Amino acid sequence: MHQQSLFAPAAIQQVTTQASAMSLLQRHQTAKVAMYSESGPGPFGILQATTTSIPGTSNTTAAHGALAFLLPAMVLCICTLSMKWLRGSFHRSTQQESMAMMATSCAEIDAKFPPLKNDNALRAIRGQPVDRIPVWVMRQAGRYLPEYVEYTKDKEFFSRCQNPEVACNLTLQPFKRYDLDAGIIFSDILVIPQALGMDVQMIKGQGPVFTTALRTKEQWYEIERKLLERVGITGVPAEEQTNRVVDMAGELSEALHYVYEAITLTRTQLNGRAPLIGFCGSPWTLFVYACEAKKTKTYTEVSKLIYGEPELVHRILKVMAHVCAQYLIRQVKAGAQMLQVFDSHANVLPPKQWAQFSLPYLSLIADIVKAECPDIPMIVLPKDAPFALDFLAGSPYDMVSLDPTLDLGRSHQKMLAVGKGVQGNMSPTIMYAPTEQVRELVRDTLTEAFGDGSALPQRYIANLGSGMNPDMDPANLGAFVEAIHAFGKK
Ligand code: 1CP
């Protein structure tokens, strides 16, 4: 297996150097400041002008002294300003502060549902002891199951997501076969662009296709204008639209009521068998889909925009992040017991650009969600972007879902050291092995990562590094789940 370096690449070391001057701030906030420092013109232009002078290359002692005195204050000030920009208007910050005071605990929501009989996945995220290694897999509801194919043959993809009863049945299907430790609500990450007014179709053999690619400022202004119109606000100058949309993100996310209904129904019908996972796509990933409009190998259009029009991209990402956060909060209130944010297109960006265009928005989502629902466990999946682990060690997420290129044992140790956990990361290709060999492969991977199983690993959830494929044998998922559960049992 490829050995991922435990040493941070240069971009991360730069972040760390700058962060050391900011001990007054939380780690993830410091990381954000450093990340913004090279985001070019736009909302973070001021950060660029200031933080690029940080590294301490000045020749005179006087300058050093002044810098040492001024730097923390300057950075604190800049950080506050940039956070204000990300969070929306000053008015919005005040609104969020009062929201935090009315925070909803998971216990309040739990009281409305059947008691949870298997809480191993939640215990793992919280760092509590588990009875067995918890396991679930991505796309556990999907086309590899004959009953899924049969049940969905006359139902268009998004109509399945929009019908709470159908979404509930699909979520529960894999539980009839497997002893899973979590279920993920049947939906799709692309329901958010749809809720923002974009037309997305799921085309057989092609995947998601957007009727109109989102590539210009004018298109985005029009989307914002229509969103505001939907909530009864008209006549706002284009430059002020973004903050107004951010202010209305909660109301706008009500368009996804069918997901919340599906969650409430599914959690009730799961009857405490395992926790239910709510999810969304990361703003970056959603933007890639909207901008490219259809499958691409080159990511030409989105790359042109991040380098050519970073301000526009940040503007779009900011709105998406606020809508994602409000969407997740509503999923929790509807009954979701843990959350996962899929940054499925993390691999499109080099580390430095990922730190500018994805990480701040991932962090913003978790900050907003946790201000409202402080004890909700949150997992983030930076797909095929092993470098992201170092950045996420300082983020508000509780657990990082690893891709198969990362060394499981070392990544686990690294995250344990910062009070976080890991999920994953077995290669989905093991599902193509003969069934007996699947068991061996699981056993070997777990032994290599965690020893002989005399003590079960803390803060670990087993999963594949990415989702089940339609041509995988359902029997092999059964063997996978059983082998995970057998680990450490004599
Ligand atoms: O008809 C079908 O079965 C189509 C396959 C399928 C399924 C089962 C799609 C199309 N979406 C889903 C449901 C889905 N999507 C779930 C719930 C089911 C479960 O996991 O048990 C979840 C969590 C998703 C999330 C999702 N959708 C992601 C993130 C996960 C990942 O794979 O990175 C992404 C990228 C999508 C977009 C998407 N949905 C579907 C396709 C074909 C795609 C494009 C994938 C790509 O670009 O490679």
Side-chain angles (χ1 to χ4, degrees), residues 139-141 148 157 160 184 187-188 208 279 289 342 344 383:
R139 299 277 165 93
Q140 65 191 21
Y148 177 95
F157 180 78
R160 299 172 210 162
I184 185 159
S187 182
D188 201 86
F279 71 91
Y289 276 111
F342 289 93
S344 303
K383 198 164 165 188

Side-chain angles (χ1 to χ4, degrees), residues 99-106 108-109 126 325-334 336 339 365-378 398:
M99 246 173 61
M101 281 155 62
M102 301 184 297
T104 313
S105 76
C106 290
E108 280 170 65
I109 300 160
R126 294 184 176 136
Q326 294 302 322
Y327 175 53
L328 291 178
I329 288 169
R330 280 159 181 74
Q331 292 187 49
V332 174
K333 292 190 173 174
L339 298 173
I365 290 173
D367 281 339
I368 298 174
V369 171
K370 291 200 171 218
E372 178 71 7
C373 311
D375 47 359
I376 190 74
M378 292 187 78
D398 304 289

